[in-house]
Amino acid sequence: MAAPPLGRLVLTHLLVALFGMGSWAAVNGIWVELPVVVKDLPESWSLPSYLSVLVALGNLGLLVVTLWRRLAPGKGERFPIQVVQGLGIVGTALLAPLWHHVAPVAGQPHSVAFLTVALVLALACCASNVTFLPFLSHLPPPFLRSFFLGQGLSALLPCMLALIQGVGRLECLPASANGTSRPIYFPERFRASTFFWVLTALLVTSAAAFQGLLLLLPSPPSVPTGSPVQGLRVGEPGVEEEEEEEASPLQEPPNQAAGTTVSPDLKAHQLFSARGACLLGLLAITNALTNGVLPAVQSFSCLPYGRLTYHLAVVLGSSANPLACFLAMGILCRSLAGLCGLFLLGIFFGAYLIALAVLSPCPPLVGTSTGMVLVVMSWVLCMGLFSYVKVAISSVLHGGGRPALLAAGVTIQVGSLLGAVAMFPPTSIYHVFHSGQDCVDSCGR
């Protein structure tokens, strides 16, 4: 088949990235805006605990998608994706005017509107992993990496917007002759309502990108196919050869002849082989760490070194995700041993960050430039390595077609849930981690 025009190829990669951007942008946006909204909501800094529970409850979205597949078999992912995108757009649009409204519950004021909309957005975001990924089985493997690049932007862009807003800006002013200081907090450059309107615009852009993809597809994506090569044929020269190379990536010695159609039963056998189980296990643990464990300790590991360190770790750590996706487009590791090695290296940096959080508010090298550089670089390398592992594993699973990508989506969501549930007791019940106070030297330096 002749190669498609370069312009169409670039446009498709761009649309896929923008499509992926909408997967978790809503929930990520709520998280980064918490320092602003907690100042006006009655739950104050207990709100992150409420939000963690709501995101965990959002996994009920998996059951809704499963019920849809049972009631409407063979209908594909187009309708569920449009529902997920519609919920995200409507939810963030409602947050803009309603986030600060409170109502009495059991005689106590609560931010009912904010929490209700957050639950709806959590349901939509959790469902995105098991609808967006199977849809990509209709596209050649390189587009899966563009999707994960866009998913990285769903974390990076809200962070950048929060920095522009000026979240958490303060100055320490001397308050007495004994050297103690008091914090002076600067107001944000624009209100939370404006932030949520901009977030709504990002989600509208993502939904429009999906509609653009549907227009580019030569065959309806709602018809599930047994092979990923039946969908959009817009890959660059060599894509057909790459797809043949990835046609049976889950079995250890490939024994399928070129051009042979792989049956669904054989794909299921490959998926649940020892290699497939290892890949899914790595994917689950990686997402448990990146979406559950590490976000829960980020503030504890960074804030002792200063708010600048914290903001750098958040922004550069989020930037590492799309950069890892760019790297995977050029250099993709398909070796299980290589992926395990990268995973263990990420574990090393993750363990260092968790140790810093446990030792907070007085971790090693606090108050030194070396400590600041180490913690920021550890966050960047940790998130970059884990992001690369996730993209590489998903790319390998792409060869198993729609069932393998559906299994990947479920694994990502289950791993994220387990990570969040595991961190709730030490952070919210037993208070293993301790934070310092702004402009107060807790370490006696």
Side-chain angles (χ1 to χ4, degrees):
M1 180 178 292
L6 179 61
R8 185 184 178 192
L9 180 64
V10 172
L11 176 61
T12 308
H13 275 287
L14 176 62
L15 291 177
V16 171
L18 292 175
F19 170 53
M21 179 188 67
S23 57
W24 277 88
V27 168
N28 289 334
I30 291 178
W31 275 112
V32 300
E33 193 66 1
L34 280 181
V36 178
V37 300
V38 295
K39 293 186 290 187
D40 295 322
L41 296 181
E43 292 83 3
S44 185
W45 279 107
S46 297
L47 198 61
S49 298
Y50 284 86
L51 188 57
S52 297
V53 173
L54 293 178
V55 172
L57 290 175
N59 285 278
L60 294 174
L62 299 178
L63 299 180
V64 176
V65 175
T66 301
L67 182 63
W68 158 259
R69 297 186 193 284
R70 291 289 185 183
L71 296 178
K75 293 296 184 181
E77 281 75 34
R78 177 186 295 190
F79 179 73
I81 289 174
Q82 291 171 334
V83 170
V84 166
Q85 292 179 325
L87 287 175
I89 293 170
V90 172
T92 52
L94 288 175
L95 271 181
L98 300 178
W99 68 269
H100 57 280
H101 285 254
V102 299
V105 177
Q108 298 293 327
H110 285 282
S111 49
V112 175
F114 181 87
L115 294 174
T116 301
V117 175
L119 175 60
V120 172
L121 293 176
L123 288 167
C125 290
C126 290
S128 70
N129 280 334
V130 292
T131 53
F132 288 20
L133 278 176
F135 172 81
L136 294 174
S137 64
H138 304 282
L139 303 175
F143 293 98
L144 185 65
R145 292 148 217 168
S146 297
F147 171 81
F148 278 104
L149 187 152
Q151 203 169 56
L153 293 178
S154 74
L156 176 61
L157 293 181
C159 288
M160 296 296 294
L161 182 60
L163 285 180
I164 295 171
Q165 186 184 17
V167 173
R169 292 186 302 149
L170 64 84
E171 182 180 355
C172 295
L173 295 179
S176 64
N178 61 6
T180 60
S181 301
R182 60 186 179 89
I184 300 296
Y185 297 95
F186 297 102
E188 291 78 27
R189 295 186 178 92
F190 51 85
R191 290 176 51 81
S193 297
T194 305
F195 179 93
F196 290 127
W197 281 124
V198 176
L199 198 61
T200 303
L202 292 178
L203 294 179
V204 169
T205 302
S206 177
F210 178 64
Q211 296 305 312
L213 278 176
L214 296 181
L215 294 176
L216 282 178
L217 289 171
S219 59
S222 58
V223 180
T225 59
S227 169
V229 301
Q230 297 289 329
L232 179 63
R233 304 295 299 178
V234 293
E236 57 266 80
V239 163
E240 294 184 23
E241 291 78 1
E242 181 179 356
E243 290 181 16
E244 288 298 328
E245 177 187 352
E246 296 188 12
S248 302
L250 304 182
Q251 63 180 14
E252 304 191 3
N255 50 18
Q256 293 292 324
T260 302
T261 301
V262 183
S263 70
D265 291 339
L266 182 56
K267 285 181 181 178
H269 172 72
Q270 296 168 7
L271 184 61
F272 294 105
S273 65
R275 176 178 170 80
C278 287
L279 290 172
L280 291 176
L282 280 178
L283 193 60
I285 298 172
T286 300
N287 281 277
L289 292 170
T290 56
N291 299 336
V293 175
L294 292 173
V297 302
Q298 186 165 38
S299 60
F300 297 103
S301 67
C302 297
L303 283 178
Y305 298 93
R307 285 187 175 262
L308 175 61
T309 303
Y310 174 72
H311 288 311
L312 286 174
V314 169
V315 174
L316 296 180
S318 299
S319 303
N321 191 317
L323 289 176
C325 297
F326 271 120
L327 179 61
M329 289 181 179
I331 306 173
L332 185 65
C333 176
R334 294 186 176 88
S335 164
L336 182 59
L339 292 174
C340 287
L342 294 173
F343 170 79
L344 291 176
L345 188 57
I347 288 288
F348 171 78
F349 290 110
Y352 173 71
L353 295 171
I354 293 173
L356 293 181
V358 171
L359 296 173
S360 177
C362 298
L365 301 175
V366 67
T368 66
S369 299
T370 303
M372 294 174 59
V373 171
L374 282 177
V375 69
V376 172
M377 290 301 298
S378 294
W379 272 106
V380 172
L381 293 173
C382 182
M383 300 308 292
L385 287 166
F386 283 145
S387 297
Y388 182 87
V389 169
K390 287 192 289 186
V391 175
I393 291 175
S394 300
S395 297
V396 171
L397 291 173
H398 183 284
R402 182 177 175 275
L405 288 180
L406 178 59
V410 172
T411 300
I412 289 171
Q413 205 50 53
V414 170
S416 302
L417 172 63
L418 293 177
V421 169
M423 291 306 293
F424 186 78
T427 56
S428 302
I429 299 177
Y430 299 110
H431 302 289
V432 174
F433 308 101
H434 304 280
S435 59
Q437 296 179 320
D438 291 327
C439 301
V440 175
D441 184 5
S442 304
C443 305
R445 289 181 283 111

